[in-house]
């Protein structure tokens, strides 16, 4: 084989090796703790989803304590998601306990989760799990939430037993 006929062969091999290396390098360079992109979705007709939407937005608003709009946002979220009776119950708790009546605490959780726990008599029940720290021994509290199936408004919330 002449030098001229070997050049395209060497070029093809070098190109194939370069493409293989280019495909493998990003995977090797990625840190072991890299996470995949999370996908969020929802259903505006689902009472448990409504509770999850509320707690997600509410926690975001109270977490952003340095944002001047956060307090107004939290108040507006309460007005939109809670029935008038639930708003009064939350306000009474806050006056008595000097703590947030949505989170039943004076601080803000780092994570939250909402699970459907049942329904009947025109209401759905959900349980909100709040995680207050990271690590294997993170403190967790739970809140039982009742929602009206017609309006989707939260009608009652209380610390779980």
């Amino acid at each position: 084989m002449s030098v001229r006929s070997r050049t395209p062969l060497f070029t093809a091999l070098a190109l194939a090796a370069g493409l293989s290396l280019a495909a493998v390098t990003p995977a090797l360079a990625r840190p072991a703790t890299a996470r995949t992109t999370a996908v969020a979705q929802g259903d505006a007709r689902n009472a448990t989803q409504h509770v999850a939407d509320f707690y997600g937005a509410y926690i975001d608003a109270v977490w952003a304590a340095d944002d001047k709009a956060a307090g107004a946002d939290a108040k507006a979220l309460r007005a939109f998601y809670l029935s008038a009776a639930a708003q009064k119950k939350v306000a009474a708790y806050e006056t008595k306990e000097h703590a947030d009546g949505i989170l039943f605490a004076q601080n803000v959780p780092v994570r939250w989760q909402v699970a459907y726990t049942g329904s009947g008599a025109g209401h759905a029940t959900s349980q909100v799990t709040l995680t207050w720290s990271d690590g294997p021994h993170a403190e967790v509290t739970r809140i039982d939430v009742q929602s009206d199936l017609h309006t989707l408004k939260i009608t009652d919330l209380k610390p779980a037993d």
Side-chain angles (χ1 to χ4, degrees), residues 2 4-5 13-14 16 18 28 63-65 71 73 80-81 83 102 104-106 119 133 140 157 159:
S2 71
R4 276 190 166 164
S5 62
L13 286 172
L28 294 175
W63 184 269
D73 290 346
F80 179 74
Y81 282 95
S83 68
I102 301 297
F104 296 97
Q106 292 180 334
S119 60
S133 61
V140 172
L157 56 162

Side-chain angles (χ1 to χ4, degrees), residues 92-132:
Y93 174 89
E94 291 175 339
T95 299
K96 181 180 176 190
E97 300 295 333
H98 304 286
D100 187 297
I102 301 297
L103 304 173
F104 296 97
Q106 292 180 334
N107 54 353
V108 184
V110 295
R111 286 188 308 279
W112 55 269
Q113 180 179 341
V114 179
Y116 170 80
T117 57
S119 60
H123 288 90
T125 55
S126 305
Q127 189 167 77
V128 178
T129 301
L130 303 175
T131 304
W132 300 94

Side-chain angles (χ1 to χ4, degrees), residues 14-15 21 25 28 37 43 97 109 133:
L15 182 61
L21 186 59
T25 301
L28 294 175
T37 302
D43 183 343
E97 300 295 333
S133 61

